[in-house]
Amino acid sequence: MPPVKRVLRTVVLGAVTALATSLTLAACDPGKDTSASPKPSPSPHRTATAVELPPLHAGFDYQIGGAYPPAADVRVVSRDRSSSPARGLYNICYVNAFQAQPEERGQWPADLLLRDADGKVVVDKDWNEALLDIRTPDKRRRVAARVDRWIDDCAKKGFDAVEPDNYDSYTRSHELLTADDATAFITLLSRHAHARHLAIGQKNTVELAGLRSRTGLDFAVAEECGEYDECGEYAKAFHDRVVVIEYTDSGLRKARSAFGDRLSIVRRDVMVSTPGNADYVRRTR
């Protein structure tokens, strides 16, 4: 099964926010579907020396639950790494970088699954996903080596950017992981993505948005920032280069009211389902 969104989140502020606000924000700012096509072409705008960033205030669709032909207004689409990019659009590749999906847990070395003092694997119970152990430089390098192969596949398929999910896993680790562990790990992924000429997005985790100059993140993928009054913090940190997914009508109204002329905003159903499914929702107003 493809991954689904993270609607249940734990926001950790306090000391982390204080640290983030003490750092200088990065000022550097360094588009129809043939889903069944076996050889999607890379974006014509990518160069050999720089990454292409997502266009500002563009039509957006969040398709990590399954690929389908985008609507005529869409210029940016996010899809799971198992899918192909949409030809002619700006494509973001979803990878679950900080947790092991249930069907993939057995593919990870046992010592790279985070364990508590009793040796029990720490699990994100909302999604039945084991957290990955990124507490030491050596383990971060080993986990990154595996995620880097997924990033390589995204680049080979012709994606323009990568979206590593579960940056905020440390907030669900029972204090076994720290924000420093998370930022050190995402920095490794950023370097590799840039080496493959892919932009890299910060997924949620608004409390660490101010650290983008340290982590090398290029844009933000923010779920429910309208609902939780967080869009302004992402917009400031990433100079409006933010794609927003809302899962309620109220969240969509709030996001559009405050940032409808600045950010890329879409309303999707919670399970990010495909057209034809009874739960399918995609709206921009």
Side-chain angles (χ1 to χ4, degrees):
M1 292 290 292
V4 294
K5 51 75 65 187
R6 309 284 172 204
V7 70
L8 301 176
R9 294 182 295 139
T10 302
V11 178
V12 176
L13 299 171
V16 174
T17 302
L19 174 63
T21 55
S22 69
L23 300 178
T24 302
L25 297 178
C28 61
D29 219 66
K32 278 314 184 193
D33 183 43
T34 54
S35 301
S37 175
K39 295 181 180 179
S41 59
S43 164
H45 305 294
R46 184 184 300 145
T47 70
T49 58
V51 301
E52 180 190 1
L53 301 183
L56 292 165
H57 188 221
F60 174 56
D61 198 1
Y62 202 51
Q63 298 187 2
I64 68 169
Y68 53 87
D73 66 322
V74 172
R75 293 176 59 202
V76 180
V77 64
S78 185
R79 289 178 170 176
D80 183 64
R81 63 183 175 90
S82 64
S83 298
S84 295
R87 192 182 300 274
L89 304 184
Y90 187 94
N91 288 273
I92 303 169
C93 189
Y94 173 100
V95 297
N96 194 349
F98 288 77
Q99 299 183 178
Q101 290 174 207
E103 70 276 12
E104 296 180 347
R105 185 185 302 186
Q107 301 172 18
W108 285 90
D111 69 318
L112 292 184
L113 302 180
L114 185 67
R115 296 175 186 273
D116 61 20
D118 297 322
K120 186 176 180 180
V121 174
V122 179
V123 173
D124 175 353
K125 295 181 179 178
D126 290 328
W127 303 98
N128 192 30
E129 295 178 354
L131 275 63
L132 299 174
D133 192 345
I134 54 172
R135 287 178 292 185
T136 69
D138 178 65
K139 288 190 173 184
R140 285 193 288 270
R141 283 192 294 268
R142 291 173 59 203
V143 174
R146 287 173 163 257
V147 177
D148 286 348
R149 291 198 290 270
W150 301 339
I151 293 174
D152 292 344
D153 287 341
C154 294
K156 290 175 183 176
K157 286 184 173 184
F159 283 90
D160 300 283
V162 63
E163 169 197 347
D165 199 10
N166 291 308
Y167 189 22
D168 60 352
S169 286
Y170 71 94
T171 67
R172 299 183 290 277
S173 71
H174 310 296
E175 300 185 344
L176 293 172
L177 299 175
T178 67
D180 284 342
D181 295 330
T183 56
F185 181 65
I186 201 75
T187 300
L188 294 178
L189 301 185
S190 293
R191 291 171 182 165
H192 188 79
H194 290 157
R196 296 306 308 266
H197 311 301
L198 295 175
I200 183 168
Q202 172 170 323
K203 182 67 172 289
N204 298 325
T205 326
V206 69
E207 62 273 19
L208 301 183
L211 302 182
R212 64 165 297 201
S213 60
R214 173 192 296 181
T215 58
L217 296 165
D218 301 304
F219 63 98
V221 179
E223 291 176 304
E224 298 186 291
C225 69
E227 187 71 28
Y228 291 101
D229 299 315
E230 297 170 343
C231 294
E233 294 173 73
Y234 288 113
K236 180 180 178 181
F238 291 92
H239 310 292
D240 287 359
R241 212 167 292 273
V242 184
V243 294
V244 178
I245 310 98
E246 296 293 335
Y247 297 105
T248 64
D249 290 339
S250 63
L252 178 64
R253 284 194 298 270
K254 290 174 66 176
R256 282 185 49 78
S257 174
F259 297 95
D261 60 344
R262 293 169 56 183
L263 309 183
S264 302
I265 304 169
V266 70
R267 158 82 155 92
R268 287 301 328 268
D269 55 285
V270 169
M271 300 306 290
V272 287
S273 55
T274 57
N277 187 295
D279 297 322
Y280 173 77
V281 175
R282 181 190 180 267
R283 252 192 335 269
T284 57
R285 59 183 69 244

